[in-house]
Amino acid sequence: MSDRISARHRSRAPRRTVLAVLGTAALGLSGLMASAPAEAQAATGSPHGAAWVRSCTQATTPGTMACNALRVTNARQHVKPLGVTPDATPSGYGPADLLSAYNLPAGGGSGQTIAIVDAYNDPNAESDLATYRSQYGLPACTTANGCFRKTDEHGGTSYPRNNTGWAGEISLDLDMVSAIAPDAHIILVEAKTASTADLGTAVNTAVRLGAQYVSNSYGGPESASDASYDESYYNHPGVVITASSGDSGYGVEYPAASQYVTAVGGTSLKRDSSSRGWNESVWNTSSTEGTGSGCSAYDTKPAWQTDGGCAQRTVADVAAVADPATGVAVYQTYGGSGWSVYGGTSAASPIIASVYADAGTPSAGSYPSSFPYAHTGSLNDVTSGSTTTCSPSYLCTAGPGFDGPTGLGTPNGLAAFTG
């Protein structure tokens, strides 16, 4: 399956049968010459031996967002001087791993349109997407066949400036949608800047262009303006809006705090000998890095959320893999060198948006963030791990039932994501 990173060595699980030859020589050379993300911060690591950097500098000012992607810097790279190795299994979990872990069907997403909203431009987004899908034998998703569409925040083609850090986020998002819902159409909407206003405008454009599922893998500090942002950008009944809960440990980010979105926390995902074949715990690397969670200072609690320790909105609702030490395979050539491994709750948000797409179109007027609360028995309850100590403890510590870091749990099939 996927390569695993250990404290002193990296072992490889059995190779998959590769279903298509990867890339071209030119594409391989462009990946090798690409520079590291200018926005990335100093590397951090875990006891498992992986080391990684943030793709985007953390946002500290309300109204400004940062992507929640973490790029592993010491994963094995399967790249030759003249192109990508055609017979190597990339490091990191691939589609088969994720479908197995979350009990999902192959070939999901037929008839659905999923939007990815990010800031700035990735000039290689479509070609990198093609390589990822070719590697794993997924159907082509291109502009030419009508599956892929790339727009600016207003729905046009005046793309924003290129940005290597956000390009990693874009690659991660597109690849996770492909892994979970390979038969869905994809719209990539690129905001002019990482401001709440520009990203929110991009969300509105995604919905206007027909996306029933919109993933937002970014976040920033809460503010008193969030209630107005809710109504201007994230209140779309009948549409799934997902948002990553953040990568800085205990604490709440916006727009995950919005009462109208499905806030997605993060787990560490590992194989085991259980009947499921996998186990999950709260993703936590340090006191300042791990899945976000907590009680919103500003946003109203939705009616379907009934935990008693937070009078406002509690983050998160559900979760998926986010630990970069148990990260996912991603193909990125703008700001990357080809195959890499990514983590962060930026991986979890598009995974959950795509699970919703596999489950089918939400009913008109519904708020899909309420769906898991009506099907709590159809999720993998995550009961171990914490990010810190807090009061009440469930806001930062996993336990039976609902908790802040992982919400109600992770997908176990599609039932929890249907209305």
Side-chain angles (χ1 to χ4, degrees), residues 162-174:
N162 298 344
N163 183 288
T164 55
W166 280 86
E169 176 64 66
I170 289 169
S171 292
L172 170 60
D173 291 344
L174 294 175

Side-chain angles (χ1 to χ4, degrees), residues 279-283 381-386 397-400 403 405-406:
N279 71 80
E280 289 177 278
S281 58
V282 172
W283 165 45
D381 190 10
V382 180
T383 60
S384 65
S386 66
T397 301
D403 58 68
T406 64

Side-chain angles (χ1 to χ4, degrees), residues 116-118 168-178 217 346 350:
I116 296 300
V117 170
D118 285 306
E169 176 64 66
I170 289 169
S171 292
L172 170 60
D173 291 344
L174 294 175
D175 292 354
M176 291 306 96
V177 170
S178 299
S217 291
S346 279

